[in-house]
Each structure stands twice: as structure tokens, then as C-alpha cells.
Amino acid sequence: MKVLKFGGSSVASSENINKVINIVKDSSLNNNIALVVSALGGVTDLLLEAGNLACNNNANYVQSFKIIEEKHLQITRELIPVNNQSGVLGQVKKMLNKLENTLEGVFLINELSAKTSDKIVGFGELLSSYIISEALKSKGLDAVLKNSQELIITNENFSNAAVKFDKTNAAIESFFKENKHKIVILPGFVAATENGETSTLGRGGSDYTAAIIAAAVNATILEIWTDVSGMFTANPKIVKEAFPIKNISYQEAMELSHFGAKVVYPPTIQPVLKKEIPISIKNTFDANAEGTLITKVSGNTNPIKGISHIENMALITLEGSGMVGIPGFSKRLFGALSEQKVNVSLITQASSEHSICIAISNSDVEKAKEAIEDEFSYEIEHHKVDPLTIEKNNAIIALVGDNMKSHQGISGKMFSTLGKNNVNIRAIAQGASEKNISAVISFKDIKKALNSLHASFFEDQTKQLNLFIVGVGNVGGKLIEQIKKQQHYLLENLRVQVRVIALTNSKKMVFNEDGIDLENWKESLENGEPLDMDTFHNKVRELNFRNSIFVDNTANESISNLYASYLKESVAVVTCNKIACSSNYANYQKLKQLARTYNAPFLFETNVGAGLPIIDTLKNLIASGDKVTKIQAVLSGSLNFVFNNFNNQNSFYDVVEQAGIQGYTEPDPRIDLSGVDVMRKILILARESGTKLELDDIKNDSFLPKSSLDAVTVPEFLETLKTEAAHFEKIYQKAAANNCRLKFVAEFDNGNANVGLKEIPADHPFYNLDGSDNIVLFFTERYSQQPLIIKGAGAGADVTASGLFADIIRIGNN
């Protein structure tokens, strides 16, 4: 015989029930079937609501009853053919009348005992089992309804009754021995006392009913049909990459169930475990899916079978010097909690006996606090025990697997993974059996923790990067193009999955938790919500994705001021915006320190030389013990472009205008032409080489006339380039007369820095620097005679975007 159990979601509608009927029909071709059903989806909650409203003298209980009534009558009409409908509807109405009378009695006396509550909620399964049995019969199946209350006998602990197995097993065996029908339908959850009073089996009671029956009849298998295709490696609603576990042991299934895997209820396993009856978890809505088979022996070679969690947990810590060496503290603590029926999910105690920490549900905190403080009032009053420490809004995560004990380093890998993702661990528990390693973390870190652990233990070591991109102009647009083009390559070759979660321009922002479609990102952004950087930051923090990266493609000071807040949230920052790193030295140091403290990379390679590896090379020199003595550089691609193209045929104004059109200058060309941009770059290189320097310490020998320097607006500035044409022509002619080329050079020498336009002779490395290229000469203790030279394209949207992309990939490779 096979025992099949269908949960509330499987019988939530007539459409779903027809799926159940087809499954039962196919299964009954070669087997006798015991079919256990839950109440129709949502009905148990409605029954509880109606009972509580009636108890509180709230006449709205009638509305709840009407919803229950209409749901059952409608499903009956949809399932039962018209010619058989009246008799079935009559019986359903008769049962509903009993329910209505019970609720009315509660309303009149304003009292709802556990016994009466069991009677009320039990109507859900009694109604569903009757309707489904009649539907099966109407399909021509050999089916009979048997009330589980006549088979399962319990004590009088209403709402969570204990089964009297001797009487129960005898009744079940006797009934099925005499039964001649192919299919027996039984209501789950409900039972009865020896006096015939309705009792219930508590949470997960329908699963329990099915397991009790399976064990009593020595079923070949217990199938639990639900709305998911088995037990998953993690909650698939939180971890998209989670997948069904093909085979798992009873013990592993119980561990996962205790820690939040709602597919099966832990006590369910006990009756069939003793008989070693397999349990199959199947999906009503995908009947051909393999599901999960629970047996005595675990399957596959992975020592970790799943990662589970419990939300809404609180930590309570009892500690004090008066506990050390005194026996009985634990007994008193757990005795006090037991009296208040407070369930403890995790326990950890310091070997010094100085403290005991427990995790309980948030909802039990107040009564637990009262019970503990009452029990230890003398010790607290005399300072032998400290006042309780209570921390709410936590969660428990657990790694589960029978074979963990025979594999080295699993706990180390678990805690290392959490640490790398800045998930703080508040408490740890691991039993000697090593089938479960549990840790208490903040509730806000659940998504990040589960995804990180799942990637570490179950996935192909693919690292997922989640980008939050601010600015989609020239550079930002090119970056998105490059990401779109390289996504597949990075996944296949570097095992790095890059997702763009958010985008902004100057007016709009858009978020997509599953990643923005980069084929249509412009349309998505156009239809986004108004830009608000506070809202943007809050959203990044709420999502709390692992490997989150804030990418700043702007030259905006207010955006650069946000870096610290992101780093404090363990969000990496990648930027081409030079303002932060060239701000006051204290802020620069603060950002570097935050990056170290919160394990959040702060990368700004594109601050100097766009895509050239200038900063990275400098960092490697310093890290390897070399010392920079001097830097000479042409660091402005825009100024190099300007002076390479400025000659007798082109006016200075025309060349500057062309540089702006080609994207070589900042939107405000004064930043480039004034030398401020180059000052920032040499400042950053000086700081990265280990020198404390401020922007004001850098000497700027400007080539611009006073009228240009005094211009208030960009149009006014550009106009001065026309009116001062003779000034610029004079500079050019002087250099030409000396057989020199003009280059805007930055120098750092023995702690001092300066920038200015210089005449470069033909024998100098800078002389043949063409286009918008940059060049840097590093003179160090190792490179004292011949400098280390880095040369290449130092401006333009493409190369800047590629530099940003390289920093992003660098994070993925770490």
C-alpha cells in the first residue's frame, strides 16, 4: 500500500483538486492507496480567525464564516456533476451548519477553550476530505471516506495532542485489514480522545497523520505532495540557484525541517523512520518532477545536503561570575523556560561557565525574560548574575549533512565564507555528531549569507557580482556595452557572473533584483522612478547582496561624498571620479581604512591614466618594498590632444572644442585646461606612493591668461579662448622656435609636486607622445637610472570604461 498526503496548496481550488485526482488515479492502478488530505488552502487560518473573533465578541466572525462557506460550496459545485450535486451539497451544508453553531456558541459565551478550538479547526479537514472523496467517486474510482478520528486516538492535550500508539495502531490495522476499497480518503490533522472528543495533532498534523497510517500498515512508501519539487539545497525563494535534493537521510531531513524547511514537518518522520519506510516529496503541479526521496541512507558525495534557516529569532544571554563552578544553572534556566512552554532553538555555553546563550523566537521574548528574571532574581539582585542581554531580529542558519563529521574544514569554510561577505556571527552551535553546524546572524544578512554559503558548497564556484551603476553618459554607456558583450565570456572562463542591479542618470533610476536586461537598459531607465540618491542607498542596503559594487561614472562631488556610507555597508566602490581621492588627506585615508575594516574594495585605477595600469603598478612597487623617489608624467589625455593638434592651421579654441566633441575633456573644460585635473592625478599618485600631501600643496604654473581664469561660466571661458588667441599663439610659436613640443607635465620629487606647461625637446621621452596618450615615468630605488615607463591611451570613454571594468573583474577574481 502507498500513502499519499496532499497539503493545503494542492487542494486550494477545484483545478488543483483535479490534479490530485489524476495523480491518485494513476497511482491506484498498481497500488492500494491511503489518501490523506489537508484543509482547503487558507481555510485553517480562516477558521482560527473566525474562532478568535467570536471569542472576542466580534460579530465579524460571521464574515469569516461566510467566506469559508462560499469556498466549500463553490468547489463542491465545480467538482461534483450536477446530477449528484444536491446530496453532496446537502451534506456539506449540514457540516457547515455545525461549524456555524459552534462559532455562535463561542460568540455568546465569549470563551474559546483549546478543546473547542480543536473542534473548530478540525472542520477544515473533515470538509475537504468529504468533498474530495465524493469527487473521486464521481470519476468512477473505487473510493471510500474514513474519518481519522475513528482511527487515531490521543490524550487530551488539545491543540497538540500526543498519540496513543497502541490503540491507534490496532485501530488502523483492523480497519485496513477489513477494507475492500482501492482508495481510502482520510482527513489529516484531526484525531479524537478516548472519550470521542475532537483533538488535533498540532502544526504539520496532516503530515503526521499520513506517517502514522503509513507506519501502521507498513506502507511501501509515503508520498507527501506539495507545491515544490522536493526538499531544496536552500530556500529557492531566497537562493535562485537552489535545486532539489535527490536523496537524503531521515536524520538530514529532520535537521533541515527543524531549521525552517517547511516541506516536511519533523515529527512526521518519526513513525516511518522506525519502520524504514521511504518518504517521497513530490510536486502536485509538476507530477513528473523527480522530487526528493528520504531513506535510511543519504545519497551523493557532497557532505552538505542543505542549508536552512529560521527567521525572527532572539538571542538571550545569561552571564555572570556567580555562575562559574556552580552546578544547576542550566537546569534552572531551561526549567523556567519549559514551564512557560518556550522552545529553545539553539544553545551555546562558554567553557568558562561564565555565560549561557540561547536562541528563541522573537514572539517568546517577553515571557522568557520574565521567567528567567524571576528564577534568578536573587542572583541578579546580588550581582552574581548580570541583567539579561536580549538581542532581537536575528536568524539561525544551519549547514546539514550526515557525512560532515568525516570531512575536514567544513566549519572553517562556512565561517570563512560568511566572514568574507561581512556577515557577523553572534553565536555558534555544533553537536558532537557533526550533522549540523548552526550560527546566529543578523536577520538583515540572511539573503547574503544563504547565497554565499550556497555558492561555496553547492555551486561551481561562480562568483556573482552585483553592480549598482551611477551615471550612464559616455563612460557609463560604454561600460554597460562592455559588460553586455563580455558577460558570457566571464561566466565561462573566469566563473564570474556580472549582474547590473541598478542604473541612474541625472533624472531617473531603475532597480531589478534579478538583473537589468542590458539589451533594453535605456528603455528600463526611461521608465524608472525619479532619482533620489538617499532612496538609492537605502535600496542597496535593503537588498544586501553579496559582492555588491557601487560604480561611480560621474565627476560629481556629492556622489563621491557617498562612498563612505557604501563602504560601511560592505559595498565595494569602483570609480573614475577623482574628487574623493584628491579631497583632503583625512578623507582619503578614511576611505582606505573603511575599505580595509569592512572588507570592501575601494578601487580607482581610472583616476589616473584611464585604462592604463598606473595605480596598480605603483601599488605593486610599494607592496614589494620599493620606494618612489620621483614621478614625471603627462597625465591629461585632453591637454595632450589639445597641444598635439594646436598649430598654425588650428586655433586653440577650435582644438579645445574638438577635444570636447570627442569626449577627451570633462563637461567643464576648465577642469582640464586649468590644470586642476592634472593636480588631482599627481596628488593621487603621490599619496599612493606614501606621501601625505594636499591639493593646495601642489604648485600650478597655469598657461591660461587671467581673463580665462576669471571666467565665471563655461560659455564665458570658451569665449576667452577666442579673444586671447594671440596669447596661445605666442606660446606655440616660442616652443616651435626652440624645436620643442608643448606638454602639460606633472612632477613629484622628494615630497614636492608641481604641474605646468613645458617645452619638451626632441630627445625627451615625452616628445613623441601622440594623440591623447598618457605617459608616466616612475623613478624608484630599483629604477634609479632608467625609469619604469607606462605609456598608452589616457583619455576617452572606451578606455576609461575598460579601466572601470578591469577593477570590477579584479573584485571578481579576489
Side-chain angles (χ1 to χ4, degrees):
M1 175 180 283
K2 294 171 68 174
V3 178
L4 278 62
K5 179 265 175 179
F6 289 87
S9 59
S10 298
V11 294
S13 66
S14 56
E15 180 184 357
N16 292 0
I17 292 171
N18 277 321
K19 294 182 188 295
V20 171
I21 291 171
N22 289 332
I23 291 168
V24 173
K25 180 181 178 181
D26 291 343
S27 192
S28 66
L29 293 176
N30 300 308
N31 301 277
N32 288 334
I33 301 296
L35 171 61
V36 179
V37 295
S38 296
L40 303 182
V43 165
T44 299
D45 288 340
L46 285 168
L47 287 164
L48 288 168
E49 178 185 275
N52 289 326
L53 288 171
C55 178
N56 292 323
N57 203 30
N58 189 330
N60 287 330
Y61 84 88
V62 175
Q63 298 303 318
S64 298
F65 170 76
K66 291 294 184 185
I67 296 171
I68 295 167
E69 180 181 47
E70 181 53 37
K71 187 177 183 72
H72 286 90
L73 293 177
Q74 179 183 343
I75 287 180
T76 301
R77 294 187 188 101
E78 292 170 351
L79 286 174
I80 308 300
V82 176
N83 57 329
N84 294 331
Q85 217 172 76
S86 60
V88 178
L89 282 171
Q91 181 60 26
V92 171
K93 288 177 181 178
K94 184 177 179 181
M95 296 169 73
L96 287 167
N97 286 338
K98 289 183 179 179
L99 170 61
E100 185 176 25
N101 291 336
T102 304
L103 288 169
E104 185 178 4
V106 172
F107 178 75
L108 292 172
I109 64 174
N110 304 136
E111 184 180 332
L112 181 62
S113 65
K115 181 194 292 188
T116 306
S117 179
D118 273 5
K119 187 176 292 186
I120 290 171
V121 294
F123 274 100
E125 275 72 14
L126 295 172
L127 282 161
S128 66
S129 59
Y130 172 70
I131 294 169
I132 293 169
S133 69
E134 292 300 318
L136 285 164
K137 292 175 188 176
S138 72
K139 300 287 186 181
L141 297 174
D142 179 21
V144 65
L145 174 66
K146 179 63 175 177
N147 191 342
S148 302
Q149 293 172 307
E150 298 171 8
L151 301 177
I152 300 178
I153 312 303
T154 72
N155 64 10
E156 296 185 355
N157 184 22
F158 296 102
S159 295
N160 192 21
V163 176
K164 297 189 173 183
F165 278 99
D166 51 347
K167 291 182 170 57
T168 294
N169 288 338
I172 293 170
E173 290 171 16
S174 174
F175 168 76
F176 279 97
K177 185 177 181 180
E178 299 297 325
N179 171 62
K180 304 299 181 184
H181 296 276
K182 193 76 172 175
I183 302 168
V184 178
I185 302 95
L186 304 107
F189 184 52
V190 292
T193 66
E194 290 186 88
N195 295 327
E197 296 285 354
T198 297
S199 59
T200 60
L201 301 179
R203 186 169 68 89
S206 291
D207 286 356
Y208 198 18
T209 300
I212 292 167
I213 291 168
V217 300
N218 289 310
T220 56
I221 193 167
L222 166 59
E223 294 180 357
I224 296 179
W225 291 80
T226 180
D227 56 3
V228 293
S229 299
M231 299 186 81
F232 278 65
T233 48
N235 186 335
K237 293 179 181 178
I238 299 176
V239 181
K240 302 295 184 185
E241 290 77 17
F243 54 88
I245 306 167
K246 185 176 180 180
N247 185 263
I248 193 171
S249 72
Y250 295 119
Q251 287 77 14
E252 289 168 334
M254 280 195 290
E255 290 283 0
L256 285 173
S257 298
H258 276 298
F259 278 85
K262 301 292 199 297
V263 177
V264 62
Y265 183 57
T268 298
I269 298 171
Q270 291 292 350
V272 292
L273 186 150
K274 295 177 182 177
K275 296 285 187 76
E276 297 185 6
I277 297 169
I279 303 172
S280 180
I281 311 296
K282 302 280 285 180
N283 189 345
T284 304
F285 309 101
D286 187 6
N288 294 323
E290 190 171 13
T292 297
L293 184 66
I294 306 173
T295 58
K296 182 179 180 181
V297 181
S298 179
N300 80 52
T301 57
N302 192 339
I304 307 298
K305 287 301 177 296
I307 307 166
S308 198
H309 74 285
I310 312 174
E311 299 179 357
N312 302 315
M313 301 301 293
L315 274 180
I316 296 183
T317 303
L318 180 70
E319 63 181 327
S321 57
M323 296 170 58
V324 179
I326 307 298
F329 264 89
S330 297
K331 179 182 178 180
R332 290 171 61 192
L333 172 63
F334 297 117
L337 294 171
S338 176
E339 287 181 10
Q340 296 300 317
K341 297 184 178 180
V342 174
N343 184 50
V344 177
S345 297
L346 179 143
I347 305 164
T348 179
Q349 181 173 11
S351 58
S352 64
E353 302 180 35
H354 185 263
S355 67
I356 303 173
C357 182
I358 61 170
I360 64 173
S361 171
N362 280 340
S363 59
D364 288 334
V365 165
E366 292 307 317
K367 61 180 179 181
K369 179 177 182 291
E370 185 176 340
I372 297 170
E373 288 180 340
D374 184 60
E375 175 65 33
F376 295 98
S377 58
Y378 174 83
E379 287 85 354
I380 294 173
E381 182 179 350
H382 290 80
H383 306 291
K384 295 178 180 293
V385 171
D386 299 335
L388 289 183
T389 301
I390 300 174
E391 302 170 56
K392 291 186 178 181
N393 300 319
N394 289 302
I396 301 175
I397 53 171
L399 291 187
V400 172
D402 278 348
N403 297 322
M404 284 163 51
K405 62 188 174 190
S406 58
H407 286 75
Q408 302 280 332
I410 288 177
S411 59
K413 186 176 180 181
M414 174 184 182
F415 301 133
S416 173
T417 298
L418 294 175
K420 287 178 182 177
N421 286 276
N422 289 93
V423 176
N424 188 38
I425 298 170
R426 299 294 302 114
I428 299 167
Q430 179 177 10
S433 66
E434 296 187 42
K435 293 181 179 180
N436 179 314
I437 306 174
S438 302
V440 180
I441 64 173
S442 172
F443 174 76
K444 70 180 179 63
D445 288 330
I446 275 292
K447 190 170 186 177
K448 183 191 291 186
L450 289 176
N451 278 278
S452 300
L453 290 172
H454 195 273
S456 184
F457 285 100
F458 291 103
E459 297 168 32
D460 239 354
Q461 295 309 301
T462 297
K463 190 167 187 176
Q464 185 183 89
L465 304 180
N466 298 291
L467 309 187
F468 299 85
I469 298 177
V470 177
V472 291
N474 288 338
V475 174
K478 293 294 183 183
L479 175 61
I480 293 169
E481 286 181 17
Q482 292 174 13
I483 292 171
K484 180 177 68 174
K485 180 181 177 181
Q486 291 298 107
Q487 275 180 321
H488 180 72
Y489 174 87
L490 293 174
L491 188 59
E492 289 294 314
N493 294 278
L494 300 183
R495 298 189 183 278
V496 173
Q497 181 187 33
V498 181
R499 304 191 310 166
V500 178
I501 304 299
L503 290 170
T504 80
N505 56 24
S506 59
K507 296 179 180 178
K508 296 283 188 73
M509 62 183 183
V510 63
F511 280 82
N512 187 325
E513 293 185 32
D514 297 321
I516 293 169
D517 178 6
L518 298 187
E519 293 287 347
N520 303 296
W521 69 267
K522 291 181 180 178
E523 292 84 350
S524 298
L525 187 54
E526 182 64 29
N527 296 318
E529 58 185 296
L531 176 64
D532 183 317
M533 289 309 297
D534 288 336
T535 303
F536 188 92
H537 177 256
N538 289 336
K539 184 70 173 177
V540 175
R541 183 173 56 192
E542 288 167 12
L543 289 173
N544 198 22
F545 281 142
R546 59 193 168 123
N547 305 319
S548 292
I549 306 174
F550 179 77
V551 183
D552 178 15
N553 300 314
T554 75
N556 190 304
E557 183 174 3
S558 63
I559 300 298
S560 72
N561 290 335
L562 300 174
Y563 296 170
S565 61
Y566 282 99
L567 293 171
K568 287 177 182 176
E569 299 290 343
S570 299
V571 175
V573 174
V574 169
T575 180
C576 59
N577 187 340
K578 293 176 280 291
I579 295 175
C581 287
S582 59
S583 62
N584 65 75
Y585 187 79
N587 185 57
Y588 162 81
Q589 283 290 78
K590 175 186 175 185
L591 295 175
K592 303 275 281 189
Q593 182 59 49
L594 287 173
R596 290 189 291 269
T597 301
Y598 293 96
N599 194 28
F602 174 41
L603 302 181
F604 44 90
E605 182 66 67
T606 49
N607 277 196
V608 182
L612 296 176
I614 295 172
I615 293 176
D616 192 50
T617 300
L618 177 55
K619 285 181 177 178
N620 290 335
L621 287 172
I622 301 300
S624 66
D626 203 354
K627 182 179 179 181
V628 174
T629 56
K630 183 178 180 180
I631 301 172
Q632 287 183 322
V634 174
L635 295 173
S636 174
S638 55
L639 284 174
N640 202 41
F641 175 87
V642 167
F643 286 108
N644 279 338
N645 289 279
F646 177 40
N647 52 43
N648 290 326
Q649 285 73 44
N650 298 310
S651 73
F652 192 73
Y653 170 83
D654 290 337
V655 175
V656 170
E657 184 180 45
Q658 188 61 33
I661 292 170
Q662 295 191 26
Y664 291 131
T665 62
E666 299 285 352
D668 182 351
R670 291 175 297 180
I671 296 174
D672 297 289
L673 298 180
S674 68
V676 170
D677 187 59
V678 177
M679 290 171 67
R680 288 173 174 162
K681 292 176 180 178
I682 194 65
L683 174 66
I684 292 168
L685 293 182
R687 287 176 171 178
E688 289 295 301
S689 67
T691 301
K692 182 178 180 180
L693 202 67
E694 299 288 359
L695 194 62
D696 291 341
D697 297 330
I698 300 173
K699 182 182 177 183
N700 182 1
D701 185 11
S702 178
F703 65 89
L704 293 174
K706 187 175 186 302
S707 60
S708 299
L709 293 172
D710 292 341
V712 176
T713 65
V714 173
E716 289 176 5
F717 173 77
L718 292 174
E719 186 62 28
T720 68
L721 302 187
K722 296 179 182 178
T723 59
E724 297 282 359
H727 168 82
F728 299 111
E729 181 65 24
K730 183 179 178 181
I731 294 174
Y732 170 75
Q733 292 296 344
K734 181 176 180 294
N738 294 327
N739 294 317
C740 293
R741 298 182 72 180
L742 292 169
K743 303 293 178 185
F744 197 86
V745 178
E747 290 185 321
F748 171 70
D749 191 357
N750 292 318
N752 298 310
N754 65 83
V755 300
L757 191 63
K758 296 186 182 297
E759 295 179 1
I760 303 298
D763 60 350
H764 195 284
F766 293 172
Y767 185 85
N768 291 314
L769 192 65
D770 294 323
S772 62
D773 285 1
N774 281 192
I775 186 169
V776 178
L777 280 59
F778 285 121
F779 294 86
T780 72
E781 291 180 347
R782 294 175 188 159
Y783 294 90
S784 58
Q785 300 302 316
Q786 292 294 327
L788 174 62
I789 300 175
I790 301 172
K791 177 183 175 183
D798 269 324
V799 292
T800 303
S802 69
L804 289 163
F805 200 5
D807 275 347
I808 291 167
I809 295 169
R810 188 175 288 113
I811 292 173
N813 287 333
N814 286 339

